[in-house]
Structure formats: C-alpha cells, structure tokens
Amino acid sequence: MIARSLFTQHYRNLAPDTVEFAEGVNVISGQNGQGKTNLLEALCLFTGVRSFRGAKNAELIARGEKFARMELQFFADQREQNADLVITDKKQATLNGVKLAAATGFIGRFCAVVFSPDNMSLVKGGSAERRRFLDAAISQQFPAYPRLLVEYNRILAQRNAFLKKSSSTAGFESMLDIWDENLARTGAKIACKRAEYVARLCGKTEEIFDGISSGRDCIRLRYSCGFLNPDSVDETARALQSQLEAHRASDLAQGCTNYGAHRDDLHISVNDMAARSYASQGQKRSCVLALKLAEASLLEEAAGERPIAVLDDVMSELDGLRQDYLLNHMEGWQVFISCCDPHTVKGLDKGRVIEVEDGKFNRR
Ligand SMILES: Nc1ncnc2c1ncn2[C@@H]1O[C@H](COP(=O)(O)OP(=O)(O)OP(=O)(O)O)[C@@H](O)[C@H]1O
Ligand SMILES: [Mg+2]
C-alpha cells in the first residue's frame, strides 16, 4: 500500500495544498505547532477509523470554516485509487468515484499502523491497555472475536451485580454456578485466541526489536493467564471454572470477580527484566514500535497488503542507531516520520523531507 499524494482544504491549520509522498521514507519536519501531526492525522483518516488523536469532526475543520475536504491518491490492491473525504458535522466518503455509506467503508481499503506518543501507555500503563491492544489486533483478523468480548463483559457485569446481592437468597449458589460456567466458557475462548495471537506476535516483535536496537537488546513477550491450556479451550474453561469456585468467598466479600480473562496481561520484558519497571525511555519506545510494526506485519500476512507506517514524534529519546533504523532500514515499508530536530533530517539517506511551517509545506 502506498500513499501517493494528499490534498487538504480547510483542514485544521493546513494551507490548501497537495503534498506528494515518496514511496520509501517521508520525514515531516518542522517546529512545534506547525502542522506536522495535522498532516499525519489527515492522512490516517483515510483508514476509516477515527482520528488517532480522538478528535471530533468539528475540531478537524479550520477555525472559521464550515467544512474540510481531503483527497488521497494511493496504490493498493494492485491499482491506483483515489479517495475523497468531506468533513462537516459528519464525514462523507467517496472511494474511486463511488459514495460510501460511511467513512468506515475505507476500513481495509487503505491501512496504516500508527505510532503516537499516547501509545506509550502500552508499556507504561496497566494491563487493561495491553489487553485492549491484543483485543483490537485480534478483532481486525477475526470478525467474530468482538462478539466474544461483548458477551464476556455482559456476563461479567451480571455476575458482579449478582455477587453484590444477598447470598442468603434461595438458589443463590446454583445461580452463581451458572454465571461461573458461562463466564468460564467465554473467557476460555478469549484466552485461547489471545494466546494463539501472542504466539504469532512474539517472533515478529523480537525480529523488529532486534533491528531497532541493532541487536543490543532483546525483547520477550508472554501472555500471562492463570488458567490457560493453549491446546484446549475445554480444559481452559474447566480451569477457570475451578478458580472461580475456589475464590468464591473472596469474590463475594469484595463484590467483584477476581479471576478471568479481564485480569490477563501481556508481559513485556527487555533483557529479561519487566519493561514497565526496568526499561529505559528509549527501550520502552522501541518496545511499542516493535509491537505495532509486528501487528502490522501479521495483518499483512492475512490481508496480503502492507499498511503504511505513520510514526508521530517517535524520534525523541531514541539514540542515533535507532533513529537510523527507522530512517534508513525499514525495507519494504512506506514510512511517515514527524520530527522537530533538523539534525534528524540530516541522517536520512534517501526519501523525502517535507518541511511544515505555519501549515504550509516546503518540499526538499
Ligand atoms: N481546527 C483548527 N483550526 C485552526 N488551527 C488549528 C485547528 N486545530 C489545530 N490547529 C492548530 O494546529 C497547530 C498544531 O498543529 P500540530 O499538532 O500538527 O503541530 P505539530 O507540528 O505536530 O507540533 P509538535 O511538534 O508540537 O507536535 C496549532 O497551532 C493549533 O492551533
Ligand atoms: Mg505533533
């Protein structure tokens, strides 16, 4: 997948213009507040998902204007394509001249893997962030998976509500048995799917991390789940059900469910130490990058198309070797990297530099 050019009009602070992109690396350079992230954000809206900054439609339109319009020329599915997006209070999307019912119609047609500083929570944050990452990645490949999550969360909420009721109610124990069985069955399917995905993610992440760190550091991933038998969903369900039964008294005392797929984690270690507690800033950044690029590689294997890589503000905290890897050694990727430091640009062997100043572009 290759983004050829992007036209924007009335998009945040960007001056109406068309920017052409290189097939390899595109460095978007400029001082703070000039429009670098705005350009990357505009490009990524063509993936059909909401702004990676979580912005509302009204925020995307230049102040004082009524609409924003963008047009993307791109190569995917072995042909040149064009997509058009008009943003008012809603988004109107057109793909190759055909109006789509919603911008979500772009999903799967133009794909990007995005690194933004907010993603650092994947390593720095709690286990919920890592479960969210796994669940989102798995959902992209297995359309039935989101339904499992909805089902699990529904049963969990009902079980928790039930735990808060008086346990002296007639039939309390047998009702709880039913919740436990349902929770265990659905939780086991989720855990086995996550374990299977992590098994595939491991190799790719290790390989990419090795490249980013020039072999100096070693990353390991492990899906941590106290009831998993990776070879059998039934065995996993039985193990979870036994745990739920064994800890029923403490669940009742606390009014919540302490075991299950909602407590699992993806353990990330660097050089055999937990990344969250021991890794340096640059190592943490490299972990997140490797995880995201590995996710994109797995998606590519499934869909046959490599997403573009959009790396916003990734360079700070990375040493020269790591920066060099992103600038010059991401073979086969079309990369968009924003940076503030002019020295970074000097390290680029080939590719395009797009300078942004007050929303206007200078190409070099
Ligand atoms: N809807 C809008 N209308 C007009 N200007 C906007 C709008 N939304 C954001 N801006 C302006 O865009 C600029 C921010 O652009 P952006 O976030 O792309 O900066 P950046 O170049 O990525 O900076 P940094 O290096 O700090 O990340 C700010 O000056 C902000 O006021
Ligand atoms: Mg920015």
Side-chain angles (χ1 to χ4, degrees), residues 12-13 32-38 53 59 61-63 340:
R12 292 199 189 256
N13 78 331
N32 293 135
Q34 301 304 306
K36 302 181 298 295
T37 304
N38 292 348
R53 289 203 277 209
E59 293 161 9
I61 302 168
R63 211 166 322 142
C340 301

Side-chain angles (χ1 to χ4, degrees), residues 60-299:
L60 305 175
I61 302 168
R63 211 166 322 142
E65 300 294 343
K66 297 214 161 28
F67 70 92
R69 194 167 88 74
M70 298 123 79
E71 207 180 309
L72 176 73
Q73 307 287 334
F74 67 104
F75 182 85
D77 201 13
Q78 292 161 20
R79 65 201 162 108
E80 298 295 337
Q81 305 194 43
N82 60 79
D84 198 279
L85 197 56
V86 177
I87 306 172
T88 51
D89 53 345
K90 58 182 193 299
K91 292 192 181 91
Q92 289 166 267
T94 309
L95 183 61
N96 302 318
V98 180
K99 271 212 160 72
L100 305 177
T104 48
F106 287 141
I107 294 177
R109 313 298 289 269
F110 179 72
C111 305
V113 53
V114 184
F115 171 94
S116 87
D118 289 349
N119 298 134
M120 289 305 296
S121 57
L122 194 51
V123 174
K124 292 181 176 177
S127 61
E129 298 285 346
R130 289 176 288 281
R131 285 193 300 274
R132 224 189 323 275
F133 166 76
L134 287 180
D135 290 340
I138 298 169
S139 298
Q140 291 226 42
Q141 292 195 22
F142 301 96
Y145 186 77
R147 278 201 297 279
L148 271 181
L149 292 174
V150 170
E151 167 91 351
Y152 183 85
N153 289 328
R154 184 181 58 81
I155 302 168
L156 181 65
Q158 287 172 338
R159 186 182 191 269
N160 286 344
F162 194 71
L163 286 170
K164 292 188 178 84
K165 284 189 181 169
S166 163
S167 55
S168 56
T169 319
F172 185 87
E173 291 284 328
S174 52
M175 271 305 284
L176 205 48
D177 285 344
I178 296 173
W179 292 129
D180 286 5
E181 194 187 327
N182 288 341
L183 194 72
R185 199 163 2 95
T186 317
K189 287 184 196 158
I190 291 173
C192 288
K193 219 48 197 162
R194 286 181 182 157
E196 181 193 312
Y197 185 78
V198 172
R200 291 166 55 218
L201 191 69
C202 278
K204 290 261 180 242
T205 311
E206 284 168 19
E207 186 186 315
I208 296 168
F209 190 86
D210 187 67
I212 297 174
S213 70
S214 304
R216 288 171 296 173
D217 295 321
C218 168
I219 192 172
R220 290 272 179 268
L221 303 181
R222 184 174 56 82
Y223 178 50
S224 152
C225 169
F227 53 91
L228 177 75
N229 178 338
D231 301 322
S232 162
V233 177
D234 289 343
E235 284 300 319
T236 304
R238 267 192 284 279
L240 176 54
Q241 197 168 348
S242 318
Q243 284 202 0
L244 290 168
E245 275 166 23
H247 297 91
R248 196 171 269 193
S250 57
D251 279 3
L252 273 168
Q254 293 169 34
C256 68
T257 305
N258 288 295
Y259 290 84
H262 60 294
R263 292 291 168 96
D264 296 349
D265 200 352
L266 173 69
H267 276 300
I268 306 167
S269 64
V270 173
N271 304 333
D272 295 324
M273 288 179 283
R276 189 182 177 196
S277 319
Y278 294 99
S280 72
Q281 299 293 355
Q283 286 170 329
K284 285 193 180 104
R285 207 161 263 252
S286 309
C287 287
V288 176
L289 259 171
L291 278 166
K292 293 224 132 207
L293 293 172
E295 179 203 349
S297 282
L298 290 182
L299 202 60

